[in-house]
């Protein structure tokens, strides 16, 4: 058995073969189709943390665990935090929750990622189901809305080749260049673009009356809602030509249409309303529950599975966590000093936190600040299983190699449980089977999630009356401010802050600066310096800085979305100041 699954936080959840010490894409897997992205291709050459460290001194693992145990005993009853990130998507990554819930630490809630949008999806549909790849393959029109497929979801490129593309993105992405229509929308205005499209579906009478009558609630209120905005005002807000919007709608009329929606549309206070509006547009066109149609957003990957690891009752929002108030913070699989919004506040908090523990694979901004550093085992060195938010595949991740480096999440948990006299965990395989239960089926040799239907919502929605709930209002807190919109999205060669990170700020040609210049970007939350790259694919009112770029989150707000308790990285404006050499 040499088959495993990519552990990284990514739509594709690739099936991987480990052969002769190398990672290879599984040719037989219907989505992976034999290739991996640059991140996994270079995974094994990425320098790892080899030894634990306490206060800067390298120590052995036994000693590190003794120190951790002692520090946890001393901090018991004080303010402690268990902070887990998304470095590895395996289910057994949650094992330390078994210890920390009994110990009484605070946990986090909410999301740095898709939480605002998910809240909007749940309001309309009741549950966020994944759209299986077979339905995407059967569509003929693909609307790619705030998702950068060729970078963040590259195995879907094959699924959508030869289809008519409509791309909605403020950036002229690689895919936008191939699209029949590119709506280069003004950032943050997708809610109004969806309403404008819905308005014209209504005017042109191309809505799906059968679907609306049988599977939805409150359509009349939605119509009233979309008619409350003057068309002229909507067109001005969204910053695209009405003609292009109409062309897109005419292409979609009576066709098999899928929407592939990404996190780009919802990194704002009103992110939940954006997804609700996009879903409402799709519902009015009858795109749910029908072959070759559907809206794919980041699905609830744990749907139908048992959560065997308890959650603590005390939970603080992840995006705004205040490390300063903790006597001990245990940080696992994450790099908050770079990835959380408002880095100045986060770093100050980590410095004030009496003891911070970093448990991860690589050195980064957080490991360098931590008092105790504990190296983890990588996905080849421990037993696990992963689910996916982009497909309905489930991937086993068996232990394939022995290694003297690091400690696994379950070993660490059992060691702490023994020291504290708590029950240890059941065996790893036993836990995996308990989580999965009967909720899987096998098709062509691969495990799939049985809770996700082949045609999602074909048996109704997950709401109380089993109908789609149209929106009829929205909340917003517009960030009025000076400066350019900040686009902060994913990059090909890094997985957030893992692997080859970028260091640039991308500016439109009109900015008056040239490649290689240094520039200081300033927002109401902080400032940071970057090297300029000129990018003609940007709108004139935008700057782009990739996720993982050192300094980017000095600019982002430590505030929560109105619903979903999610980070809102793009809810800010940026002003540029030239830095003279
Ligand atoms: N290579 C690689 N792959 C990854 C990741 C990675 O770091 N690197 N990260 C993984 C993770 S954690 C996630 S959550 C997913 C996310 O992957 P995606 O859902 O693709 O999210 P982003 O890359 O953040 O942004 C997607 C697009 O949204 C656009 N966008 C920005 N603002 C707006 C807006 O206001 N409106 C519209 N319509 N579009 C906008 C951006 O220009 C970008 O093209 O990718 C996963 N895959
Ligand atoms: N500016 C900006 N900020 C963002 C985003 C953005 O688009 N722009 N995106 C946001 C999103 S969508 C997300 S999901 C978050 C992600 O933010 P984080 O969850 O903090 O993810 P990473 O920065 O990739 O850090 C993951 C860490 O996990 C560790 N790790 C990897 N594998 C293992 C393992 O098996 N065990 C343990 N113990 N550790 C492991 C690695 O050492 C790595 O440093 O960032 C958010 N921050
Ligand atoms: S595309 Fe995503 S799932 Fe596939 S190898 Fe790369 S990071 Fe892993
Ligand atoms: Mo994410």
């Amino acid at each position: 058995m040499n088959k495993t699954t990519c552990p990284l936080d990514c739509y594709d959840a690739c099936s991987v073969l480990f052969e002769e010490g190398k990672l290879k894409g599984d040719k037989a897997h219907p989505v992976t189709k034999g290739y991996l992205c640059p991140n996994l291709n270079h995974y094994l050459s990425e320098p790892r943390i080899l030894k634990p460290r306490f206060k800067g001194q390298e120590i052995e693992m036994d000693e590190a665990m003794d120190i951790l145990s002692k520090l946890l005993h001393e901090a018991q009853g004080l303010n402690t935090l268990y902070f887990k990130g998304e470095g590895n998507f395996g289910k057994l990554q949650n094992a330390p929750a078994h210890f920390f819930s009994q110990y009484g630490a605070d946990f986090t809630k909410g999301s740095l990622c898709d939480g605002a949008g998910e809240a909007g999806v749940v309001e309309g549909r009741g549950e966020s189901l994944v759209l299986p790849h077979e339905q995407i393959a059967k569509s003929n029109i693909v609307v790619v809305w705030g998702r950068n497929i060729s970078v963040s979801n590259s195995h879907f490129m094959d699924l959508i080749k030869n289809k008519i593309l409509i791309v909605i993105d403020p950036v002229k992405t690689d895919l936008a260049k191939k699209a029949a229509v590119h709506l280069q929308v003004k950032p943050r205005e997708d809610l109004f673009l969806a309403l404008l499209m819905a308005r014209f579906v209504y005017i042109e009478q191309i809505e799906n009356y059968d679907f609306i009558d049988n599977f939805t609630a409150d359509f009349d209120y939605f119509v009233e809602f979309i008619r409350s905005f003057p068309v002229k005002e909507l067109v001005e807000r969204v910053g695209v030509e009405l003609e292009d919007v109409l062309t897109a709608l005419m292409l979609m009329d009576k066709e098999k249409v899928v929407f592939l929606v990404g996190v780009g549309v919802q990194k704002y206070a009103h992110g939940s309303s954006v997804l609700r509006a996009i879903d409402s547009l799709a519902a009015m066109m009858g795109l749910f529950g029908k072959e070759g149609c559907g809206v794919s957003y980041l699905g609830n990957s744990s749907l139908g599975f048992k959560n065997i690891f308890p959650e603590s009752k005390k939970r603080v929002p992840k995006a705004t966590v205040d490390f300063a108030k903790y006597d001990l913070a245990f940080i696992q699989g994450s790099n908050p000093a770079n990835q959380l919004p408002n880095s100045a506040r986060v770093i100050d908090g980590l410095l004030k936190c009496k003891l911070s523990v970093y448990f991860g694979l690589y050195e980064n901004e957080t490991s360098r600040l931590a008092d105790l550093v504990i190296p983890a085992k990588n996905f080849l060195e421990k037993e696990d299983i992963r689910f996916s938010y982009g497909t309905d595949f489930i991937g086993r991740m068996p232990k394939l190699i022995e290694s003297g480096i690091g400690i696994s999440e379950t070993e660490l948990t059992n060691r702490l449980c023994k020291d504290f006299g708590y029950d240890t965990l059941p065996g790893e395989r036993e836990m995996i089977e308990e989580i999965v239960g009967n909720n899987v089926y096998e098709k062509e040799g691969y495990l799939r999630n049985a809770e996700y239907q082949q045609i999602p919502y074909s048996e109704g929605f997950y709401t109380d009356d089993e109908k789609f709930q149209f929106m009829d209002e929205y909340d917003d807190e517009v960030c009025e401010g000076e400066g350019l919109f900040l686009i902060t999205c994913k990059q090909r060669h890094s997985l957030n802050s893992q692997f080859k990170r970028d260091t640039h700020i991308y500016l439109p040609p009109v900015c008056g600066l040239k490649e290689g210049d240094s520039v200081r970007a300033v927002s109401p939350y902080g400032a940071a310096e970057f090297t300029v790259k000129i990018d003609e694919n940007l709108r004139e009112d935008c700057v782009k800085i990739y996720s993982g770029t050192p300094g980017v989150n000095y600019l982002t707000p430590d505030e929560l979305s109105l619903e979903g308790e999610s980070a809102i990285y793009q809810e800010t404006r940026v002003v540029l100041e030239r830095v003279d050499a």
Side-chain angles (χ1 to χ4, degrees):
M1 178 65 180
N2 64 349
K3 198 186 271 184
T4 181
T5 311
C6 174
L8 300 175
D9 178 355
C10 170
Y11 290 101
D12 300 17
C14 287
S15 178
V16 178
L17 304 179
F18 183 60
E19 285 171 352
E20 295 158 6
K22 292 202 174 101
L23 299 171
K24 295 180 183 162
D26 178 358
K27 287 202 178 82
H29 190 275
V31 177
T32 309
K33 292 194 171 158
Y35 79 92
L36 302 173
C37 76
N39 291 317
L40 211 63
N41 278 330
H42 298 118
Y43 184 90
L44 294 173
S45 56
E46 188 67 18
R48 285 171 69 175
I49 304 176
L50 301 176
K51 285 206 140 195
R53 264 191 336 263
F54 184 57
K55 308 262 182 206
Q57 290 291 311
E58 277 196 357
I59 51 177
E60 296 304 319
M61 185 60 81
D62 264 352
E63 207 182 338
M65 289 308 301
D66 288 344
I67 292 172
L68 177 60
S69 197
K70 180 166 164 277
L71 296 176
L72 282 165
H73 272 111
E74 286 168 6
Q76 196 159 24
L78 302 176
N79 287 325
T80 54
L81 174 71
Y82 172 55
F83 184 97
K84 181 192 158 295
E86 309 302 334
N88 175 331
F89 230 67
K91 273 288 144 191
L92 297 189
Q93 286 290 304
N94 293 313
H98 174 82
F99 169 78
F100 283 106
S101 59
Q102 297 183 74
Y103 175 79
D106 284 3
F107 281 38
T108 62
K109 60 179 173 177
S111 151
L112 300 180
C113 179
D114 60 338
E118 187 182 58
V121 169
V122 169
E123 281 165 5
R125 309 187 216 162
E127 265 304 346
S128 177
L129 298 189
V130 156
L131 183 66
H133 71 279
E134 288 96 335
Q135 304 312 325
I136 301 171
K138 283 179 193 156
S139 69
N140 38 26
I141 309 281
V142 180
V143 181
V144 180
W145 204 328
R147 191 193 295 189
N148 195 5
I149 309 279
S150 69
V151 169
S152 63
N153 181 201
S154 54
H155 291 80
F156 279 27
M157 288 299 278
D158 194 59
L159 281 177
I160 64 173
K161 72 171 184 231
N162 305 329
K163 298 190 190 291
I164 296 175
L165 297 177
I166 297 165
V167 172
I168 306 176
D169 200 303
V171 180
K172 196 186 281 174
T173 58
D174 291 350
L175 217 54
K177 291 176 189 165
K178 296 183 190 164
V181 181
H182 175 208
L183 302 177
Q184 198 163 6
V185 62
K186 191 169 166 194
R188 204 185 189 285
E189 299 297 343
D190 300 86
L191 165 58
F192 298 98
L193 180 58
L195 297 182
L196 177 65
M197 292 168 91
R199 182 73 179 270
F200 275 93
V201 170
Y202 182 73
I203 291 171
E204 301 291 334
Q205 300 184 325
I206 55 174
E207 62 267 54
N208 184 326
Y209 300 106
D210 261 7
F211 184 83
I212 292 169
D213 286 349
N214 293 317
F215 300 105
T216 73
D218 297 335
F219 182 62
D220 293 346
Y221 292 113
F222 181 58
V223 171
E224 216 173 283
F225 176 59
I226 55 180
R227 291 179 66 184
S228 66
F229 301 93
V231 168
K232 188 162 173 271
E233 188 188 306
L234 290 175
V235 174
E236 276 164 17
R237 278 196 83 138
V238 301
V240 298
E241 297 295 328
L242 182 56
E243 203 183 316
D244 294 339
V245 175
L246 296 177
T247 309
L249 286 178
M250 290 309 131
L251 285 171
M252 286 154 68
D253 184 26
K254 301 195 183 56
E255 295 292 340
K256 288 188 172 168
V257 184
V258 299
F259 288 11
L260 303 180
V261 186
V263 296
V265 297
Q266 55 91 66
K267 300 180 186 189
Y268 305 106
H270 68 315
S272 64
S273 299
V274 178
L275 256 298
R276 185 98 187 267
I278 293 173
D279 271 3
S280 294
L281 168 67
M284 128 190 247
M285 299 183 83
L287 299 181
F288 289 105
K290 204 157 78 188
E291 183 165 273
C293 296
V295 180
S296 153
Y297 179 60
L298 295 85
N300 172 3
S301 61
S302 293
L303 195 66
F305 297 110
K306 191 165 163 192
N307 182 12
I308 62 165
F309 302 115
E311 286 279 352
S312 163
K313 289 197 180 60
K314 292 184 294 169
R315 299 202 292 158
V316 295
K318 193 170 185 182
T320 54
V321 62
D322 180 10
F323 288 105
K325 72 172 224 209
Y326 291 100
D327 296 284
L328 188 152
F330 184 90
I331 299 162
Q332 173 200 331
S334 184
N335 181 11
N338 186 248
Q339 290 301 116
L340 240 53
N342 196 344
S343 298
R345 193 188 69 98
V346 173
I347 290 168
D348 182 61
L350 285 168
L351 290 167
K352 286 185 180 145
C353 169
K354 293 204 183 71
L355 278 157
S356 57
V357 182
Y358 169 86
F359 179 33
L361 284 182
Y362 312 120
E363 296 291 2
N364 55 34
E365 289 84 344
T366 308
S367 72
R368 287 191 279 274
L369 289 174
D371 300 291
L372 177 62
V373 174
I374 301 178
K377 290 213 180 290
N378 74 22
F379 77 110
L380 297 168
E381 300 161 348
K382 58 196 174 197
E383 203 72 43
D384 215 331
I385 189 162
R386 74 162 288 173
F387 308 147
S388 160
Y389 53 80
T391 72
D392 58 342
F393 286 96
I394 290 161
R396 293 197 180 272
M397 303 152 83
K399 178 173 172 179
L400 296 177
I401 48 178
E402 289 294 339
S403 159
I405 305 171
I407 185 167
S408 76
E409 287 66 25
T410 51
E411 284 172 297
L412 177 133
T413 306
N414 280 336
R415 166 71 203 262
L416 293 176
C417 285
K418 275 186 202 140
D419 290 352
F420 278 76
Y422 305 158
D423 286 345
T424 54
L425 294 164
E428 290 174 335
R429 291 194 186 160
E430 198 184 317
M431 286 191 284
I432 289 172
E433 294 323 311
E434 199 187 341
I435 294 169
V436 171
N438 295 324
N439 252 306
V440 290
Y441 66 100
E442 206 177 303
K443 193 174 168 189
E444 292 155 9
Y446 295 93
L447 286 184
R448 314 275 293 256
N449 183 337
E451 188 71 25
Y452 288 152
Q453 301 136 15
Q454 187 47 241
I455 301 181
Y457 312 105
S458 51
E459 290 151 30
F461 291 90
Y462 290 63
T463 50
D464 291 343
D465 60 3
E466 297 183 14
K467 295 189 165 180
F468 179 82
Q469 311 292 309
F470 278 106
M471 77 192 298
D472 57 12
E473 58 173 8
Y474 74 99
D475 285 333
D476 198 1
E477 282 173 7
V478 186
C479 102
E480 300 286 0
E482 287 287 296
L484 301 157
F485 291 100
L486 172 66
I487 304 230
T488 173
C489 55
K490 313 302 182 190
Q491 191 257 120
R492 203 177 306 277
H493 297 279
S494 74
L495 208 300
N496 296 310
S497 77
Q498 302 189 74
F499 317 117
K500 305 279 170 290
R501 293 157 66 176
D502 199 64
T503 54
H504 298 96
I505 187 169
Y506 295 77
L507 303 177
V510 295
C511 68
L513 293 153
K514 56 179 196 312
E515 293 245 340
D517 281 354
S518 287
V519 72
R520 192 174 148 80
V522 185
S523 84
Y525 305 91
E529 267 183 50
F530 304 91
T531 311
V532 171
K533 267 201 182 174
I534 302 296
D535 187 345
E536 58 197 22
N537 299 315
L538 293 178
R539 285 172 57 101
E540 292 183 0
D541 52 5
C542 298
V543 308
K544 181 176 81 179
I545 312 173
Y546 289 121
S547 179
T549 301
V552 56
N553 281 320
Y554 279 89
L555 305 172
T556 53
D558 52 330
E559 282 164 32
L560 298 177
S561 56
L562 294 167
E563 285 170 70
E565 298 186 289
S566 200
I568 48 175
Y569 292 96
Q570 294 187 174
E571 194 67 85
T572 188
R573 300 289 184 92
V574 169
V575 176
L576 302 176
E577 294 172 358
R578 190 187 292 269
V579 180
D580 294 318

